[in-house]
Amino acid sequence: MSGYVQRAAVSVLHAGEAMEHLQIDDASQSPVDPEVRAYVYSLVSALGGTGADEEGRYVLGDDALACLKDLKKWLKLYDEKANRLDVARCLAEANLVSGDLLPILAGWPESATEDRAKSKIALACLELLVPLTWPIEKNDMQMTKNHHRHTPYLQLAQTSYKRSILEHDSATILRNAVRIGLPSMALPIGERGNRDEGIIKLLLYFFRNVALISRPQNLQDEGKGSEVSRSATIEAFHRQEVLALLLTICSNMGEDFSTQDTVILEVFFHLLKGIDVENLFMSKKELRSRNDDELKSLLAQEADMHRSYARNAPTRHNRFGTMIRVMRDDNSYSTVTGQDALRGGQQTLSKMDQSKKWNKPKGGAKNKEYSSDRFDVPVALTESATTHLRAFVEEFLDSGFNPIFNHIRRAIEREAERVLDSHKQQFFYLVSWFLEAERVRRKAKKEASKKRRDKKIEETFEPDSFELIASVLNQESFILLNRFMQTALDLKYWRDVHAGMRCFTQILLIVQDMSESPLEDDQEIAENIQNRIFYEESTHDRIISILRGYKDQGFGYLDSCTELSHVFLRILEKYSKENVDLQVRSRRRARKSKKAAARECGEPNEDDEDQASEIEDVAEAERVSRERRFDFRRFSAKFMTQACVDTFTIFTKYYADLSNEQLKRAHRYFYRVAFKQESSVMLFRLDIVALFNKMIKGPDCLNSSNPLYKEWDQLVRQLFKKLFKKLDQRPELAVELLFSKIHSTTFFLEYGYEKQTISSKSRAPAVLEVRGSMTLEEQIGVMVAILYDGKIEQIDWLSKTLASAADERQSWEAEAAAKAAESQAQSPLQASSPPEENSKAPSITVVPSNDALRLAMFKENKLRLLMTLVGFERLGIDDEPDATWIIPSSLSSPDLRHRCETIEQHRQKPKFEYGEDEPMAAEEMIQRKPAEKMRRAEYDDDSDGDGIVSDQNMEEEFLFPAGGFTNKSNPYKLALDALKKKQRKRYTAVSDDEGGLDDETREARHIARVLAELEKRRKIKSNEFVGLSDEESDEERDREFFAKEEARRKGQANKVMDALIAGKISKAVEGETVKPAAESRKRKSEAVVEDKRKRRRGSFLEDSDFIDQSSDSDKDADLGEGAGSSSPARHGPFADSSDDEDGDEDTPLSSPPLGGHSLSKAVDAFQGEVMSQESATKVPEVNLNNGDEADGEDDAPVASTARRRGRVAVLGDSEDE
């Protein structure tokens, strides 16, 4: 024990001397507080040590466990609490890890696992190792002077810690650390306490720190970088069974382990980032062949460089300096230095171009991220490390992939406390890495099976299903990925966007492999996944915005965004060809009233008035979706913008360092732009043309042995042909070669004319009103309170405008009063006369003080409402932005001044709440003014609401309307009208005949009536459309026309009289006389009663021509005439004379031979009745019924008029009437 006691005493003595020395000198010269250093050194010395008498073995001190706990307290209470690194610096200088902690862990034998004292000491060592190896990563805002002083030293110290852990002599440090956590892991998850969970997490954090520590990039390697490399870490993890432990935890995640998922995720991320998956799954022979090919290509490039340099190698005579002066067109000079400027004109100009390059200064990164999270830096592995890692990855894909990633996804979705922002990025990167590993593994298996060429193996070979990676191919994972990418894109977290792009690309590629799988289940799943991915238009827009938004995010980001766009376009094009009816869901803005939203939600109507006042016409914006058919050509055109072309141009500038796959990607994009989309104008820019020329014909062109050289050469040749042809067609392109192309320029260069666009006019805002029944002053107060916050300048302007208008109106009123007094004094006789009503005050134009107010007077509906309340009026249409506001003449100066004072009063003391029981804010007191509903015309048919106009309706619009009734008193027409009024009663016999018709028959009759009415209207020549210009002087023609009209009128009158006489005579012949009106009514009522049983028919008309034609006309009337028609078929012989102009004669009347005596009596009797009732236009009813026939049937009155009335009554009850 004397060795470590002596060491402790010496360290304390040295600490005391150091403190005395520092008291004399400036204390700021020491990086650590001397007192802190003394305490820490004393604890380290008392922990234990090696002595000569112990044969080099490490011996613990008496209070070793207490010293370890005190050191832990120093780290926690001093460094962490004070945000300093002094204790860690002291422990690094004292070599605690390599000199004490690791020897203590190495000296813990496996046989002493059950020894509790040694187990506690080993656990205390682990509790110190974790904070000492914790990564030191702080951004510039968190870094202090203390951090800047200690960070470089501690980074080097952590590198030495990792080297000591991985290459310790005992080679059991990691294994012994695993032994510390095994007792806690062996317990079931329900029996573990907080201490057990803490030990497991502590162990995993230790593995995470070991995997994370790497050599600082800004420090020298000193030949020891391989000792802490990724290969050394993987080999140590494999050798000491750390990988097996991690695989066990992943396989049982969710069953035996729960909260350790995020730590496992970090271990995998720092262990796998930057490793090439393709190299991982290559065989040794393939890997060696690939390395040989890479070496040969590098040697060939070096030989080409030497060869080009040898052509112009310096000689003994051209070793001197050279300067050349070149005169420009504007008589200015440029200088070029160096002997290589003398080789030729092209070389001189090329050197001038190199000197003209401007290195744009780069600003600091806005979102500076830690270097340990970078995953785009390639890492090379040794052969043994590749073998061990490949075996681990295959076992992990087979057993641990689904449990761990499903568990982490759920934790991210529910935003668990243990999930950090960095875990989301690591999650999606690892998903992309393992999906790529699965693809490469399947590809390697297929190639291996093809090389064997064993038919028996091919027959028995069953393809593997994709169930091993199904946990990241469900809808929940896609939703999480889309949300993560969109959030990172909005916040410009480019590394997160990079991880999301890699994950989305690998998902698309794995789905493509699934669609080509021979298993039908995999094909159906792939079809479903593709449909879900391509259904959302937001996904398409996100891919375009990522490609378009590249600026300076680095080459890794550039490679990933170009790969994503290439894969997405290629798979989407193939899928759209297979599914012609592909639908996408796009989102747009829509307006939805709150009343409709409340109705959909089923909210109860508590108070109709309150609900109407709160909900009525208040609209809210929401996202609504609609489906539309997908057009791939239209969608791919979005990738042809200038920003997207610039991104691929920047990517192509690295052509010398690109792989064949990357060169092919760029070639396919430019080919699509130039030929598939026919947008080659987008590539006609000088820098792009120069880049293509440099790739093929330049000094640093592509190697002709490159497999893609011929394809690029052909593309560039065809593109230059198009360029020259377009220059001949559009000489303006010579100027546009200097600039980027916008849409209008591209359209003009393609078609030779500018695209015609229609600019949409600004619409006026919604009209508002104040709720409730409030006075004008209160309404003005509400609007002043609303505009008080943020727009008080509008209130001031309105107040000033009212004040100046009141002064101007008052001046005019005073002037008008003076003129009136003067006029009364000059002419006192006119004093009693009333003043002239046209002497009104002129309206005052409202002039805004600036352009902002002018725009507000049109755009802001609250200001417009206040202006309306104070009496302003707006002239012009609503959507006219430059309409004039005026102060009308009706407002007097006291009114204007009163409203100005009201505004000032509410401005001084604004009232922001209204109501006593339930106060409402002023903003809630206004609402949209309901729009006035247009009244429909009485003749509108609600059934014709489809907006389709038939040819028949179009023809009716061009026909003349039917003329009105003539005012000329015609005794015969008056007699007919009187008879029509008397015969209004319907007979049930007719309804019995018509009531049994079906719908088809009624519809056919309705169509026939419409066609007959239309045919009639075609014959109408209305006087309504005859103008004054038609009344030209042609007396002879007018005299002839009126003579024909008079003859036609007399003829019709004679026909009517003959028909009436024929009816009278028929009664006289049968022995009946004309009864008075009262007796006629009695006979009619009795006839109606009798008609309920029998149908009446006119016996004396059955054999005449009148009956034959009238029956036909009755049928025509039933099919072709409406209720308001005045056709001859409708009224039998009592037709209107105006309908006979076109030669449509009435049914000819004929009567059987009658006796003269009876005929003369009938004629005299009827003429007497007509002349007596002519002035009152009323004719007594005439009973024209015949006697009873032998069969007992009654006769119908006057040529079956009642029967035709009955048919009209049936039509009146139809749907069309």
Side-chain angles (χ1 to χ4, degrees):
M1 300 292 291
S2 60
Y4 69 83
V5 173
Q6 183 180 3
R7 175 184 172 187
V10 171
S11 63
V12 173
L13 178 62
H14 285 302
E17 293 177 354
M19 291 177 63
E20 293 178 357
H21 180 71
L22 289 174
Q23 288 177 358
I24 300 174
D25 298 336
D26 187 9
S28 62
Q29 297 297 326
S30 177
V32 182
D33 187 1
E35 186 176 358
V36 174
R37 187 187 296 273
Y39 277 113
V40 173
Y41 275 14
S42 63
L43 291 173
V44 173
S45 300
L47 181 60
T50 59
D53 54 349
E54 301 294 340
E55 297 179 357
R57 290 185 299 107
Y58 189 88
V59 181
L60 292 173
D62 296 336
D63 295 330
L65 184 59
C67 292
L68 291 173
K69 291 182 179 180
D70 290 343
L71 290 174
K72 178 184 175 182
K73 290 179 181 179
W74 273 97
L75 283 172
K76 184 176 182 180
L77 298 177
Y78 190 83
D79 276 8
E80 294 182 10
K81 190 173 182 180
N83 193 21
R84 298 175 66 86
L85 300 174
D86 293 345
V87 177
R89 174 71 178 267
C90 294
L91 295 178
E93 293 175 353
N95 196 20
L96 175 67
V97 174
S98 300
D100 297 283
L101 299 181
L102 296 183
I104 293 174
L105 283 176
W108 183 33
E110 294 184 3
S111 59
T113 304
E114 301 297 333
D115 190 349
R116 297 191 62 182
K118 292 185 178 181
S119 299
K120 288 183 178 181
I121 293 175
L123 179 59
C125 293
L126 185 62
E127 290 176 347
L128 280 175
L129 283 174
V130 171
L132 290 176
T133 57
W134 200 272
I136 305 173
E137 291 182 340
K138 297 181 182 295
N139 54 33
D140 295 337
M141 300 298 295
Q142 297 175 343
M143 292 288 286
T144 62
K145 185 177 181 180
N146 181 274
H147 296 152
H148 284 289
R149 183 187 294 122
H150 298 310
T151 298
Y153 186 87
L154 292 178
Q155 287 178 347
L156 280 176
Q158 287 182 347
T159 305
S160 65
Y161 297 162
K162 181 176 180 179
R163 187 183 301 112
S164 301
I165 293 170
L166 297 179
E167 298 183 355
H168 196 267
D169 296 336
S170 64
T172 58
I173 301 299
L174 297 175
R175 185 191 298 271
N176 290 341
V178 173
R179 288 170 53 200
I180 296 172
L182 283 179
S184 299
M185 295 180 186
L187 295 174
I189 188 173
E191 299 179 4
R192 291 180 199 155
N194 293 333
R195 182 176 181 274
D196 296 326
E197 294 290 342
I199 291 174
I200 298 173
K201 189 170 291 186
L202 191 69
L203 176 63
L204 296 177
Y205 274 124
F206 176 63
F207 295 151
R208 190 278 310 266
N209 295 344
V210 174
L212 187 148
I213 294 173
S214 61
R215 184 183 61 85
Q217 298 179 359
N218 53 353
L219 298 178
Q220 295 181 358
D221 189 5
E222 297 180 357
K224 298 182 180 180
S226 60
E227 298 177 359
V228 294
S229 63
R230 191 76 59 82
S231 299
T233 305
I234 294 173
E235 291 178 0
F237 277 21
H238 171 74
R239 187 171 56 254
Q240 301 187 35
E241 298 180 355
V242 176
L243 294 179
L245 176 66
L246 297 176
L247 185 60
T248 303
I249 296 176
C250 292
S251 301
N252 296 276
M253 186 62 63
E255 298 178 358
D256 296 333
F257 302 94
S258 178
T259 60
Q260 295 81 14
D261 50 0
T262 55
V263 189
I264 295 290
L265 183 73
E266 294 184 32
V267 176
F268 284 168
F269 176 77
H270 296 293
L271 204 62
L272 301 176
K273 62 181 180 181
I275 296 177
D276 190 0
V277 178
E278 294 184 356
N279 293 340
L280 190 65
F281 286 90
M282 284 184 179
S283 62
K284 294 182 180 180
K285 185 178 180 180
E286 292 175 349
L287 187 60
R288 290 175 182 174
S289 175
R290 181 175 179 177
N291 292 336
D292 293 342
D293 294 340
E294 291 180 357
L295 180 60
K296 289 180 181 179
S297 63
L298 291 176
L299 292 175
Q301 292 179 6
E302 184 180 6
D304 292 339
M305 291 174 59
H306 286 297
R307 197 178 301 110
S308 61
Y309 179 74
R311 297 192 193 101
N312 302 304
T315 62
R316 59 180 298 184
H317 299 290
N318 62 0
R319 296 176 183 173
F320 307 100
T322 304
M323 178 177 289
I324 299 176
R325 186 177 69 173
V326 180
M327 180 181 292
R328 297 177 177 271
D329 296 337
D330 55 354
N331 297 328
S332 61
Y333 294 93
S334 298
T335 58
V336 183
T337 60
Q339 287 281 330
D340 51 355
L342 301 175
R343 298 172 186 170
Q346 185 66 30
Q347 188 69 21
T348 303
L349 296 176
S350 176
K351 192 159 189 179
M352 288 179 61
D353 292 338
Q354 294 177 3
S355 63
K356 289 187 295 183
K357 288 184 178 179
W358 176 51
N359 295 325
K360 183 180 179 180
K362 296 182 179 180
K366 296 181 179 180
N367 299 319
K368 190 174 182 180
E369 297 167 331
Y370 302 133
S371 59
S372 62
D373 292 337
R374 292 192 61 182
F375 48 79
D376 54 354
V377 179
V379 176
L381 298 179
T382 61
E383 187 174 343
S384 60
T386 302
T387 303
H388 299 324
L389 185 60
R390 176 178 179 177
F392 167 75
V393 170
E394 288 182 346
E395 293 180 2
F396 177 78
L397 287 172
D398 294 337
S399 61
F401 182 87
N402 282 336
I404 183 68
F405 283 105
N406 190 30
H407 200 269
I408 296 174
R409 177 185 59 79
R410 292 179 178 178
I412 294 175
E413 287 177 349
R414 64 175 178 266
E415 298 180 355
E417 293 182 358
R418 65 180 183 275
V419 177
L420 305 177
D421 293 337
S422 59
H423 292 155
K424 300 177 182 179
Q425 170 191 330
Q426 295 170 1
F427 171 78
F428 289 110
Y429 173 77
L430 288 177
V431 169
S432 67
W433 197 94
F434 282 110
L435 288 180
E436 185 179 3
E438 178 66 17
R439 285 196 314 107
V440 176
R441 184 175 69 157
R442 289 175 175 272
K443 183 178 179 182
K445 285 184 179 180
K446 289 182 181 180
E447 291 179 355
S449 62
K450 289 180 180 179
K451 289 181 180 179
R452 293 175 185 174
R453 296 181 180 178
D454 192 348
K455 294 184 178 180
K456 295 182 179 180
I457 296 177
E458 292 180 358
E459 292 177 357
T460 58
F461 175 76
E462 294 183 0
D464 297 334
S465 176
F466 288 85
E467 295 179 355
L468 300 176
I469 55 174
S471 61
V472 296
L473 297 178
N474 49 22
Q475 185 66 14
E476 292 81 2
S477 300
F478 298 151
I479 294 174
L480 181 63
L481 175 60
N482 291 330
R483 187 188 304 122
F484 172 76
M485 291 182 64
Q486 189 61 46
T487 303
L489 188 63
D490 295 339
L491 299 177
K492 297 184 179 180
Y493 293 157
W494 303 122
R495 194 166 293 176
D496 293 349
V497 178
H498 189 186
M501 286 191 297
R502 290 177 62 95
C503 182
F504 193 69
T505 303
Q506 295 304 323
I507 288 176
L508 290 175
L509 293 174
I510 204 75
V511 170
Q512 185 183 16
D513 293 344
M514 290 177 64
S515 62
E516 299 173 356
S517 174
L519 300 178
E520 294 183 0
D521 294 341
D522 292 339
Q523 294 178 5
E524 293 178 0
I525 294 173
E527 177 74 17
N528 188 16
I529 292 175
Q530 287 180 338
N531 190 16
R532 290 181 178 180
I533 291 176
F534 299 138
Y535 178 65
E536 296 291 342
E537 191 180 26
S538 58
T539 304
H540 305 182
D541 297 337
R542 189 181 304 114
I543 304 300
I544 297 171
S545 62
I546 289 174
L547 181 64
R548 189 183 303 168
Y550 174 79
K551 190 176 182 182
D552 52 358
Q553 289 88 347
F555 180 78
Y557 184 93
L558 178 63
D559 183 28
S560 297
C561 72
T562 53
E563 182 183 10
L564 175 60
S565 60
H566 172 70
V567 173
F568 188 83
L569 269 177
R570 181 165 53 85
I571 297 178
L572 180 57
E573 183 179 13
K574 180 180 178 181
Y575 184 74
S576 61
K577 290 180 179 178
E578 295 175 355
N579 299 269
V580 182
D581 297 331
L582 177 62
Q583 300 287 325
V584 295
R585 180 173 63 181
S586 60
R587 297 183 178 272
R588 57 184 176 85
R589 302 294 296 182
R591 309 287 298 182
K592 184 177 181 180
S593 65
K594 288 186 177 179
K595 182 182 292 184
R599 190 183 304 114
E600 291 178 2
C601 297
E603 296 179 359
N605 297 328
E606 299 177 356
D607 191 353
D608 295 339
E609 296 181 359
D610 295 339
Q611 185 178 5
S613 62
E614 292 178 1
I615 296 176
E616 184 178 4
D617 296 327
V618 178
E620 61 180 1
E622 66 173 4
R623 303 291 293 185
V624 295
S625 60
R626 59 184 178 88
E627 290 185 354
R628 62 177 179 82
R629 187 174 180 181
F630 179 75
D631 186 2
F632 177 77
R633 182 175 181 83
R634 180 180 179 184
F635 167 72
S636 60
K638 299 180 181 180
F639 284 85
M640 310 308 157
T641 59
Q642 193 67 62
C644 298
V645 172
D646 292 343
T647 301
F648 270 92
T649 302
I650 297 172
F651 180 70
T652 312
K653 288 181 180 179
Y654 299 96
Y655 66 91
D657 302 324
L658 297 180
S659 62
N660 293 338
E661 184 67 27
Q662 292 170 335
L663 283 174
K664 182 179 180 180
R665 184 192 313 162
H667 176 273
R668 296 297 184 268
Y669 175 78
F670 290 121
Y671 177 81
R672 183 184 296 276
V673 173
F675 299 100
K676 283 190 174 182
Q677 293 294 134
E678 297 180 356
S679 301
S680 56
V681 178
M682 303 301 298
L683 303 179
F684 295 160
R685 202 175 63 190
L686 281 182
D687 59 336
I688 301 177
V689 173
L691 175 62
F692 290 161
N693 181 67
K694 181 181 178 181
M695 289 178 62
I696 305 302
K697 301 297 182 181
D700 300 328
C701 63
L702 284 173
N703 193 352
S704 58
S705 60
N706 194 306
L708 293 173
Y709 177 81
K710 292 183 179 179
E711 296 183 9
W712 273 99
D713 182 42
Q714 185 177 5
L715 173 66
V716 172
R717 288 178 181 274
Q718 296 297 328
L719 195 62
F720 272 76
K721 287 182 180 179
K722 281 200 166 196
L723 174 60
F724 298 144
K725 184 178 180 180
K726 186 63 68 174
L727 282 172
D728 295 338
Q729 296 178 356
R730 309 278 185 269
E732 301 86 355
L733 181 59
V735 179
E736 293 297 334
L737 284 173
L738 301 173
F739 309 101
S740 298
K741 310 297 186 298
I742 59 178
H743 183 68
S744 58
T745 305
T746 305
F747 188 89
F748 176 78
L749 294 176
E750 285 287 348
Y751 302 103
Y753 59 89
E754 295 183 357
K755 188 175 182 179
Q756 302 295 328
T757 57
I758 301 175
S759 59
S760 59
K761 294 183 179 180
S762 301
R763 297 183 60 183
V767 181
L768 301 178
E769 66 179 3
V770 181
R771 295 180 177 181
S773 57
M774 304 178 67
T775 62
L776 180 61
E777 289 76 9
E778 292 176 343
Q779 294 182 18
I780 293 175
V782 170
M783 299 311 301
V784 170
I786 293 175
L787 297 175
Y788 188 82
D789 294 334
K791 299 179 181 179
I792 195 171
E793 66 278 358
Q794 298 179 1
I795 302 175
D796 296 338
W797 167 78
L798 189 59
S799 178
K800 294 178 181 178
T801 304
L802 284 172
S804 63
D807 296 339
E808 183 177 351
R809 185 61 53 85
Q810 184 178 3
S811 301
W812 184 90
E813 290 173 353
E815 182 180 357
K819 289 182 179 180
E822 183 179 355
S823 61
Q824 290 178 2
Q826 292 178 358
S827 56
L829 296 178
Q830 298 179 358
S832 60
S833 61
E836 297 180 0
E837 296 181 357
N838 57 0
S839 58
K840 295 182 179 179
S843 59
I844 302 174
T845 304
V846 179
V847 181
S849 58
N850 50 38
D851 294 337
L853 277 173
R854 183 186 303 276
L855 183 62
M857 290 168 61
F858 176 72
K859 290 283 187 180
E860 299 184 11
N861 48 7
K862 298 181 180 62
L863 177 61
R864 296 178 61 161
L865 176 57
L866 180 57
M867 296 173 65
T868 305
L869 290 176
V870 298
F872 291 4
E873 293 181 359
R874 191 172 187 272
L875 305 179
I877 60 177
D878 293 338
D879 295 337
E880 181 62 34
D882 297 331
T884 304
W885 285 82
I886 63 170
I887 300 176
S889 305
S890 59
L891 293 179
S892 61
S893 59
D895 295 337
L896 295 174
R897 203 168 301 279
H898 172 68
R899 298 178 186 188
C900 178
E901 293 174 355
T902 303
I903 291 178
E904 288 295 330
Q905 179 183 356
H906 288 287
R907 184 185 181 280
Q908 298 297 330
K909 296 180 180 180
K911 186 178 180 181
F912 297 101
E913 291 185 354
Y914 291 85
E916 298 179 356
D917 298 336
E918 295 180 359
M920 297 179 61
E923 289 80 3
E924 300 177 0
M925 296 298 297
I926 59 175
Q927 65 181 3
R928 289 186 63 179
K929 188 175 182 180
E932 297 181 358
K933 297 182 180 180
M934 297 181 62
R935 295 184 177 179
R936 296 179 59 89
E938 295 180 355
Y939 50 83
D940 284 354
D941 191 0
D942 295 336
S943 62
D944 298 333
D946 52 357
I948 303 175
V949 181
S950 61
D951 297 337
Q952 179 179 345
N953 294 336
M954 293 178 63
E955 184 180 3
E956 289 181 359
E957 294 181 359
F958 292 96
L959 294 178
F960 292 104
F965 295 100
T966 177
N967 293 328
K968 185 176 180 180
S969 59
N970 190 342
Y972 306 106
K973 186 175 183 304
L974 295 177
L976 291 176
D977 292 340
L979 289 175
K980 292 177 185 178
K981 291 180 181 179
K982 292 296 182 181
Q983 296 176 355
R984 294 295 186 187
K985 202 163 186 179
R986 302 174 183 175
Y987 292 95
T988 57
V990 179
S991 61
D992 294 338
D993 293 340
E994 299 288 350
L997 298 178
D998 54 357
D999 295 338
E1000 295 182 357
T1001 306
R1002 292 180 178 178
E1003 182 65 22
R1005 291 187 176 186
H1006 170 65
I1007 295 174
R1009 285 195 299 271
V1010 173
L1011 295 177
E1013 180 68 18
L1014 183 62
E1015 183 64 25
K1016 176 184 175 182
R1017 289 186 59 186
R1018 289 195 186 102
K1019 300 178 180 180
I1020 295 176
K1021 304 298 185 295
S1022 178
N1023 229 3
E1024 182 179 354
F1025 298 96
V1026 179
L1028 296 176
S1029 59
D1030 298 331
E1031 298 182 0
E1032 297 177 355
S1033 57
D1034 193 348
E1035 297 180 357
E1036 185 64 27
R1037 184 180 60 184
D1038 294 343
R1039 190 180 302 108
E1040 182 180 355
F1041 171 76
F1042 289 120
K1044 290 181 179 180
E1045 287 295 320
E1046 183 67 21
R1048 204 178 277 123
R1049 191 180 303 110
K1050 291 181 179 179
Q1052 290 295 333
N1054 295 332
K1055 290 180 180 180
V1056 173
M1057 290 300 300
D1058 294 342
L1060 293 175
I1061 293 171
K1064 292 274 188 175
I1065 294 173
S1066 63
K1067 298 298 180 180
V1069 171
E1070 296 295 332
E1072 297 179 0
T1073 57
V1074 180
K1075 301 294 182 180
E1079 296 179 8
S1080 176
R1081 293 192 193 98
K1082 293 180 182 179
R1083 291 288 304 274
K1084 185 175 183 180
S1085 62
E1086 295 173 359
V1088 171
V1089 175
E1090 185 68 19
D1091 186 73
K1092 293 180 181 179
R1093 298 187 304 268
K1094 300 177 182 180
R1095 296 187 58 183
R1096 298 170 177 262
R1097 297 181 182 272
S1099 58
F1100 76 100
L1101 295 175
E1102 288 179 357
D1103 298 332
S1104 63
D1105 296 336
F1106 173 74
I1107 289 297
D1108 294 337
Q1109 298 188 18
S1110 63
S1111 61
D1112 295 337
S1113 63
D1114 289 343
K1115 296 179 182 178
D1116 296 338
D1118 291 341
L1119 297 176
E1121 296 297 320
S1125 175
S1126 58
S1127 64
R1130 169 82 179 245
H1131 303 296
F1134 308 113
D1136 195 352
S1137 60
S1138 60
D1139 294 336
D1140 297 333
E1141 292 180 12
D1142 298 328
D1144 295 340
E1145 299 293 332
D1146 289 340
T1147 304
L1149 300 175
S1150 60
S1151 302
L1154 302 173
H1157 178 72
S1158 299
L1159 177 62
S1160 62
K1161 286 185 177 181
V1163 171
D1164 294 339
F1166 180 73
Q1167 287 182 351
E1169 291 178 359
V1170 170
M1171 296 303 293
S1172 63
Q1173 301 293 335
E1174 183 177 0
S1175 58
T1177 65
K1178 187 174 182 180
V1179 183
E1181 186 173 356
V1182 181
N1183 191 352
L1184 301 179
N1185 292 338
N1186 292 332
D1188 295 336
E1189 296 291 333
D1191 55 1
E1193 293 183 356
D1194 295 334
D1195 296 330
V1198 190
S1200 65
T1201 304
R1203 181 166 175 261
R1204 287 192 294 274
R1205 289 278 184 186
R1207 288 189 182 128
V1208 175
V1210 172
L1211 294 177
D1213 295 335
S1214 65
E1215 297 179 356
D1216 299 305
E1217 294 300 319

